[in-house]
Amino acid sequence: MSDALPHRSVEPLVFRALSIAFTIFIIGYILVPILVTLVMSFNDAAMIRFPITSWSAKWYYDFFASAQWTDALKNSIIIAFGTAVISTSAGVLCAWAFQRFVIPWRDGWYILIMLPLFMPGVVLGLGVAIAFGGLSIGDYAFYGSRELVMISHSLWAMPLVFMLMEATFKTIDYRIVEASYDLGGGPVRTFFEIVLPMVSTGIISSLLFAFVISLNEFVMALFLTDRDTQTLPVLMWLSLRSAGTPRLAVASVILALTVFACLTLIMLWYVRQLRKVTR
């Protein structure tokens, strides 16, 4: 018995040390590339080189003074916003239907909804480009439009929204929903006035996650955009092939800051809703 006690006391220490070491490794693995990119964006040289010999913010001025780069950023934001609206609307309604109604061939529909999430972006991008390449509405060509990219990005974003909202809807106290029906509230009114406020945290999270997914998506956008609608990741890739200037680092910092801003909004909204519940 006396020999077993030291081993029992050492085991938790070993696991704790390994957990701390692994956590530090993961945090460093995530943060180091971001910090290096941030540092490189202040490089005064004409090419990306490390270590930096002189510092300057000129590439930030260069980025925002370039119509090509600011237009690409604008395209990315507009497409990401449209994707967030489309995928969140479809994902919320889909998840609600799966939660509340009996659906024939439920498992088959579930697999079909989740299928695009597991498909390579090159397959989806090429497939959409071939299928809708010649489609036009009057004089408006669908191929190369922002709307086509929004719908394509929703193929990836909507399944994630669906999974998140399906889990969120399971946390609802459905006695409140039934009480609304008993008091004369119709299905539509109950859904918008009772259900949606109860799952607002999930909806806001879905919107921001879908926004981030679309903002950073590259492969499908490469197949589906033209010079007027190309997104920032596409322009970054095209520029990297010709000249690796610190302007690329500036674009990366802008994308990273947008992601951090979305995550901050999610956390603030979650804390706000948590405080409401605890009052």
Side-chain angles (χ1 to χ4, degrees):
M1 293 294 293
S2 59
D3 294 336
L5 288 175
H7 293 287
R8 290 180 181 176
S9 61
V10 169
E11 267 188 29
L13 294 176
V14 172
F15 282 113
R16 181 182 298 179
L18 289 175
S19 300
I20 293 173
F22 184 73
T23 302
I24 293 174
F25 171 76
I26 293 298
I27 293 174
Y29 187 77
I30 294 172
L31 291 181
V32 167
I34 297 174
L35 294 176
V36 169
T37 303
L38 177 62
V39 171
M40 291 305 300
S41 67
F42 291 98
N43 192 356
D44 189 49
M47 301 292 290
I48 294 180
R49 292 175 183 173
F50 195 83
I52 296 176
T53 56
S54 57
W55 300 78
S56 174
K58 72 176 186 179
W59 290 106
Y60 283 89
Y61 295 106
D62 179 83
F63 180 94
F64 289 105
S66 171
Q68 183 182 20
W69 286 87
T70 53
D71 286 346
L73 177 60
K74 181 176 72 173
N75 287 332
S76 291
I77 293 174
I78 293 174
I79 290 171
F81 181 79
T83 300
V85 172
I86 294 171
S87 58
T88 302
S89 300
V92 168
L93 293 176
C94 234
W96 180 248
F98 267 72
Q99 185 65 27
R100 291 291 290 172
F101 306 116
V102 177
I103 301 176
W105 305 294
R106 180 189 184 91
D107 293 340
W109 286 112
Y110 192 94
I111 293 173
L112 187 62
I113 291 171
M114 301 304 298
L115 183 62
L117 190 61
F118 300 96
M119 295 295 291
V122 63
V123 174
L124 293 176
L126 182 61
V128 172
I130 294 173
F132 298 97
L135 181 64
S136 60
I137 302 175
D139 295 331
Y140 183 76
F142 206 46
Y143 179 77
S145 66
R146 293 169 177 164
E147 290 77 14
L148 183 60
V149 184
M150 292 176 191
I151 296 172
S152 301
H153 283 180
S154 296
L155 292 174
W156 269 354
M158 196 278 261
L160 293 176
V161 173
F162 172 76
M163 285 193 300
L164 177 61
M165 292 308 303
E166 189 182 30
T168 303
F169 281 132
K170 290 179 180 179
T171 64
I172 292 178
D173 185 354
Y174 283 96
R175 291 175 298 181
I176 300 176
V177 178
E178 297 301 331
S180 175
Y181 290 152
D182 292 340
L183 294 173
V188 175
R189 184 176 181 182
T190 298
F191 180 74
F192 282 99
E193 295 186 10
I194 303 298
V195 176
L196 290 188
M198 289 194 292
V199 296
S200 59
T201 301
I203 293 175
I204 296 299
S205 300
S206 298
L207 277 167
L208 293 176
F209 280 137
F211 182 89
V212 169
I213 289 171
S214 177
L215 187 72
N216 297 310
E217 201 285 322
F218 160 70
V219 178
M220 283 189 280
L222 181 64
F223 281 95
L224 301 174
T225 56
D226 55 23
R227 184 176 179 82
D228 294 329
T229 59
Q230 64 185 1
T231 60
L232 189 56
V234 172
L235 181 57
M236 289 171 64
W237 182 79
L238 296 174
S239 299
L240 183 61
R241 298 181 62 190
S242 57
T245 65
R247 189 190 295 117
L248 292 171
V250 172
S252 299
V253 169
I254 291 173
L255 290 176
L257 288 176
T258 305
V259 172
F260 283 130
C262 289
L263 292 176
T264 302
L265 288 174
I266 292 174
M267 293 305 299
L268 291 175
W269 186 271
Y270 176 76
V271 171
R272 178 173 175 268
Q273 296 300 112
L274 193 62
R275 287 177 177 173
K276 285 184 178 180
V277 174
T278 55
R279 284 177 183 174

